[in-house]
Amino acid sequence: MNALDFALACPKAELHLHIEGSLEPELAFALAQRNGIDFPFASVEALRAAYNFSDLQSFLDLYYACADVLRTEEDFHDLMLAYLRRAKADNVIHAEIFFDPQTHTARGIPFETVLRGLERGAATAQAQWGMSTRLILCFLRHLPEDECLACLDEAMPFIHRIHGFGLDSSEKGHPPSKFARLFERCRATGLPVVAHAGEEGPPAYIHEALDILKVDRIDHGVRAVEDAALIQRLATQHIALTVCPLSNVRLCIFQKMEQHTLPQLLAAGVRATINSDDPAYFGGYMGDNIRAVQAAFNWNVDTWYTLARNSLEASFVPAEQKTAWIAQLDACRAQA
Ligand code: HPA
Ligand code: ZN
């Protein structure tokens, strides 16, 4: 097996995936029709043509507009199942999936409608394909902290059905420190916490996410290479970064994949993982990310093994589960 075949075939986890960002244009149009919504794009092709982003905000504007077609429990079920079907094809055995309740509750969709739809999709994938999933509730950082605290209050009756908390949306001008009180309350639930940091924002935001929010992983974090002491810290403290290569190129964090900082992160011993972020918008799913990275860097089986192993080790499942999955990964490698 060559290195690319191994990378695609081996069991792995996806740890950075916004379920709303897996809404393909075809499904968006189908849901708009099913829900009788006047969707502001003429065709699937016209919508895809709008996927021409200059930065994070230009993407987020479209991402929130498209989320408007998600109205019913069935819609969230269909969205989840469609993503998991694609992920399975790339041998993702476990996915920790972000959802943005504020995007939906602000439109009058009850929190429980969103949650039940996503859970039902996940249950179908578990039953049909044995896939494991976790749900991570993400707060929208462009909104005031008080609104995020209200969202947490709304989520509390369902806390046993949620597996962690995250922070996403517009990064610049919304530092982690804005959410100190919110994350203190999140951590008090005993669930793990993560935050997007160092995607467009500076390395200082990564330090803040670690020191103030006390996150268990950093989402993106690719700008850490600008701060040598931070890189050292991430490596020695085994802090995982959920890196999203195609996303970073599509949002112009890097002009070309060859300029991506993944090789520097790996060389420094940082626990980096590969993920798809918003696959419907950024040119693809886990496998597409792997192919794009391999085309740029031509890594060997050892490096791809490290990346897959990092993804399983950095997941929020019990240690025994990780050990069992790593044994599966080792068996796959033995055949490579
Ligand atoms: N960054 C920040 N917020 C997001 C993203 C992202 O890549 N995708 C969806 N919300
Ligand atoms: Zn993201």
Side-chain angles (χ1 to χ4, degrees):
M1 216 187 286
N2 69 29
L4 178 60
D5 290 342
F6 171 75
L8 294 169
C10 72
K12 58 187 76 69
E14 172 136 73
L15 305 178
H16 186 157
L17 180 285
H18 302 263
I19 197 66
E20 294 89 350
S22 72
L23 177 61
E24 292 285 347
E26 290 79 3
L27 183 57
F29 269 84
L31 297 185
Q33 194 167 34
R34 185 159 93 186
N35 293 324
I37 298 164
D38 195 10
F39 199 45
F41 293 93
S43 64
V44 164
E45 292 71 32
L47 176 52
R48 249 206 192 94
Y51 291 1
N52 185 17
F53 310 117
S54 51
D55 57 10
L56 175 58
Q57 193 59 50
S58 62
F59 153 70
L60 289 170
D61 292 344
L62 187 64
Y63 163 87
Y64 293 128
C66 289
D68 186 42
V69 302
L70 298 162
R71 301 277 174 100
T72 68
E73 183 182 320
E74 204 60 23
D75 299 343
F76 288 95
H77 164 271
D78 293 355
L79 181 70
M80 180 62 115
L81 194 56
Y83 160 68
L84 289 171
R85 183 177 284 116
R86 295 291 297 263
K88 184 197 180 300
D90 295 324
N91 296 300
V92 171
I93 58 171
H94 174 71
E96 301 192 352
I97 297 172
F98 296 135
F99 70 115
D100 291 342
Q102 288 159 294
T103 301
H104 312 301
T105 55
R107 300 179 291 117
I109 317 283
F111 184 94
E112 195 173 11
T113 298
V114 179
L115 185 60
R116 279 173 46 186
L118 297 177
E119 284 177 336
R120 278 210 297 114
T124 304
Q126 166 79 57
Q128 292 196 356
W129 308 312
M131 287 182 81
S132 160
T133 54
R134 296 279 188 277
L135 287 174
I136 298 181
L137 186 164
C138 266
F139 299 100
L140 300 183
R141 71 200 302 163
H142 66 274
L143 297 176
E145 187 184 36
D146 282 346
E147 287 187 28
C148 298
L149 284 162
C151 175
L152 177 58
D153 283 339
E154 209 175 343
M156 283 311 281
F158 311 101
I159 192 72
H160 53 289
R161 293 155 66 179
I162 295 166
H163 306 101
F165 296 97
L167 187 66
D168 67 1
S169 194
S170 322
E171 186 180 9
K172 280 196 268 183
H174 302 286
S177 53
K178 179 179 163 185
F179 299 97
R181 283 185 308 150
L182 174 69
F183 270 62
E184 198 176 329
R185 283 198 39 206
C186 289
R187 289 196 313 276
T189 67
L191 293 176
V193 296
V194 299
H196 285 52
E199 178 186 17
E200 280 191 341
Y205 283 19
I206 302 176
H207 281 294
E208 278 192 13
L210 294 169
D211 294 334
I212 300 175
L213 305 187
K214 301 186 169 51
V215 295
D216 297 283
R217 293 193 301 242
I218 295 283
D219 296 312
H220 293 296
V222 292
R223 288 193 59 192
V225 296
E226 296 167 31
D227 179 338
L230 174 57
I231 287 289
Q232 193 63 41
R233 177 183 187 185
L234 295 172
T236 54
Q237 296 183 6
H238 305 292
I239 294 158
L241 301 188
T242 63
V243 175
C244 305
L246 282 173
S247 164
N248 294 152
V249 174
R250 286 299 179 103
L251 298 186
C252 309
I253 311 295
F254 305 108
Q255 296 311 310
K256 301 196 293 185
M257 192 62 82
E258 286 75 8
Q259 292 164 355
H260 202 287
T261 52
L262 248 179
Q264 288 126 278
L265 293 167
L266 288 172
V270 174
R271 186 177 278 179
T273 63
I274 287 185
N275 307 271
S276 66
D277 207 4
D278 300 282
Y281 294 88
F282 296 150
Y285 292 76
M286 177 65 82
D288 303 294
N289 275 272
I290 289 170
R291 279 185 283 271
V293 166
Q294 183 66 345
F297 301 119
N298 193 28
W299 286 331
N300 60 21
V301 168
D302 286 347
T303 302
W304 286 109
Y305 172 85
T306 298
L307 283 158
R309 186 173 173 130
N310 286 351
S311 76
L312 300 172
E313 282 178 343
S315 69
F316 293 142
V317 300
E320 314 81 70
Q321 180 65 78
K322 290 185 195 181
T323 304
W325 283 338
I326 290 168
Q328 282 181 37
L329 173 63
D330 288 346
C332 182
R333 187 192 193 175
Q335 292 167 7

